[in-house]
Amino acid sequence: MKLIFSKEKLILFLILILAAFFRFYNVNWDGGHQLHPDERAIVMTVDKLQIPKNFSDFLRPESSWNPKFFAYGSFPMYLLFATGNIAGIFNPLLAHYGSINLIGRILSAFADIVTVFLIFKISRKLFNSSIGYLAAFFYTVSVLPIQLSHFFAVDTLLTCFITATLYLLILFYEKPTSYKSLLIGLFFGLALATKISALVLLVSIGTALIADFILIFIKNPHKPTHWLPNLPAFLKHLLQYAFLIFSTTFIAFIFFEPYAVIDFKNFWVQTLQQSALTKDPFYFPYTLQYVGKIPYAYEFKNVFLWGLGPVLGILTLLGMFYFIYLNFKKGRSPQFTKALIILIFVVSYVAVVGRFAVGFMRYMLPVYPFFALFASLPSYHFYQILNNRIKNIYTLLVISYLLFVIVLIWPLSFMHIYSKNNTRVDATLWINQFIPKGKTVAIEHWDDGLPLTDQSNYNILTLTLYDPDTQQKWETINQQLRHSDYIIIASNRLYTPLLRLTDCQALPPDRCYPKTSAYYKDLFAEKLGFQKVAEFTNYPTVPMLNLPIDDQVADESFTVYDHPKVMIFQKTASRSRI
């Protein structure tokens, strides 16, 4: 028995080691250039934070401890501030803008490794250890969690706290106690103080609180003599535990995000702005890529093709239906109710996020651990079938090894991008080597300007291509193009949406871009007097076969930060007018 227990621990340990390898590998993937805009915004906010001199200063909205930035919760910023300053004792650079983002990325990766452990615990609770190992392994090798672990943009922290809350809800359902209620409130509060979208957890918390009574009522809906006597005790426990959970949640939220109350006006305005962003793809220029987005279909396309990869995507799809079938087959059992806590969260979260007008892939991360759980179910039962039918142990091992390799192909292909320089770093090296100093370089607004270093060596002009297609816009841009020696496109952030926003009958007048679309088409066809002289790509690449996977059709946020396609055009003729 002791040996079996040690073996189980060893398997989980190896999975966690693999998770750590994928998440910590080349954590400084951008060479210190701060190329993730959300991470950069958080780091700039943290760099301005100062511990208040006294309590009265703390209580002022103008306090030096107020982030004044509520697109995300305050807890990740305070966490980064604290850990950065601790690391700064050993290396002062780690406490400030230049390097503190590396501390954030380590925190992000660590949070996601904890999520691997938590999904193992949840899966084992609902099914068995074997399914737990599979779920932990599948989440370990899921591409989107690996990618987001390389950024400090709160998503992995949010997912960790949500998963922890759901695990605690399962434990609470098994045996309700005041201690578990306090823990649920703490982690729910941390989730809210990380990102307010964690409010979706309310449905799962409600399910856990009233599940027992629902089971009693479902079993005997027409016999009040069976469920009515339980009602007083149920209501007493409901009020007691609900009060503990929600009072602790409120206290934790206020403790970790105090300026949501102290600076409520600013908090509320920014929260409404973020809410408006999810409802209107025209709200910000960088969300124009989502104009015409098909709700739910867009999310699942990116989940199954890119975030999980085709193999895990198919297993997840099969597992979703299998999970529902297995648990509804169990009917009115306590095991069904525990699974229902998870299922209700996944369904409610996808229902809310999938209908957003914008579809950043990171929005779906909180349900990826449960996608891994779903994927483990058909895999486990398929292996059982093989085990029963194939008597030769070596044949079974070979088949298992092949399946293991097939699942690993996509994450290993994706890790290829972290084995090389970021494309913007390579482009910067090329620019500084091959573009003579003093040349005029045109770059695009709302994107990282290139070169990343020594921009003062060049005359930089910024093309405002997101601006409405007015005559004044194109007079200005045409003049800039006449004076430009080079045009640099740092990613597909602008041209992907602007190429297709040309139907002026269906679009708002200031968000229709027929001339801008024509500009890009002519530029790429080299009809503007500019010739492409350099292109930098770093696609996911299938190992051994050295086969690149062109992922430019994925959601922009999947490529634009860590492996964007960079193009450089050099003037070859005088024609450069649109």
Side-chain angles (χ1 to χ4, degrees), residues 11 35 58 64 86 101 139 170 177 188 204 210 278 282 322 359 386 410-411 427 511 518:
I11 294 171
L35 291 181
F58 169 80
S64 57
I86 292 170
N101 68 310
Y139 185 74
I170 291 171
T177 66
F188 185 29
S204 286
I210 65 174
T278 65
F282 297 105
Y322 195 44
L386 288 178
W410 184 220
R511 286 292 183 256

Side-chain angles (χ1 to χ4, degrees), residues 423-475:
T423 48
R424 286 172 175 168
V425 173
D426 279 342
T428 294
L429 295 173
W430 189 94
I431 292 165
N432 289 330
Q433 181 177 357
F434 293 107
I435 297 183
K437 294 180 181 180
K439 292 292 184 180
T440 299
V441 175
I443 63 173
E444 299 180 327
H445 68 165
W446 288 93
D447 207 349
D448 286 271
L450 296 179
L452 299 171
T453 60
D454 300 319
Q455 280 199 13
S456 59
N457 290 334
Y458 305 100
N459 178 29
I460 304 293
L461 301 178
T462 301
L463 305 178
T464 57
L465 291 158
Y466 273 140
D467 286 358
D469 259 0
T470 62
Q471 183 178 351
Q472 182 180 358
K473 165 187 170 177
W474 283 105
E475 285 177 357

Side-chain angles (χ1 to χ4, degrees), residues 397-447:
L397 286 173
V398 169
I399 293 174
S400 301
Y401 175 75
L402 288 174
L403 293 173
F404 179 76
V405 170
I406 289 170
V407 170
L408 279 176
I409 285 175
W410 184 220
L412 288 175
S413 300
F414 179 79
M415 291 302 290
H416 176 268
I417 69 171
Y418 294 127
S419 67
K420 294 189 173 185
N421 280 346
N422 182 274
T423 48
R424 286 172 175 168
V425 173
D426 279 342
T428 294
L429 295 173
W430 189 94
I431 292 165
N432 289 330
Q433 181 177 357
F434 293 107
I435 297 183
K437 294 180 181 180
K439 292 292 184 180
T440 299
V441 175
I443 63 173
E444 299 180 327
H445 68 165
W446 288 93
D447 207 349

Side-chain angles (χ1 to χ4, degrees), residues 127 138 300 303-304 308-327 343 370-382 385:
F127 297 101
F138 287 153
F300 281 108
V303 166
F304 292 139
L308 290 174
V311 175
L312 272 184
I314 291 170
L315 289 174
T316 298
L317 191 61
L318 293 173
M320 282 182 186
F321 297 110
Y322 195 44
F323 183 84
I324 294 169
Y325 166 75
L326 279 178
N327 289 289
L343 188 61
F370 308 103
F371 287 162
L373 167 57
F374 297 155
S376 69
L377 295 175
S379 306
Y380 173 72
H381 289 285
F382 176 67
I385 292 169

Side-chain angles (χ1 to χ4, degrees), residues 84-105:
N85 278 274
I86 292 170
I89 296 172
F90 306 97
N91 182 351
L93 293 176
L94 294 174
H96 300 291
Y97 179 82
S99 300
I100 196 173
N101 68 310
L102 299 180
I103 300 297
R105 292 176 186 178

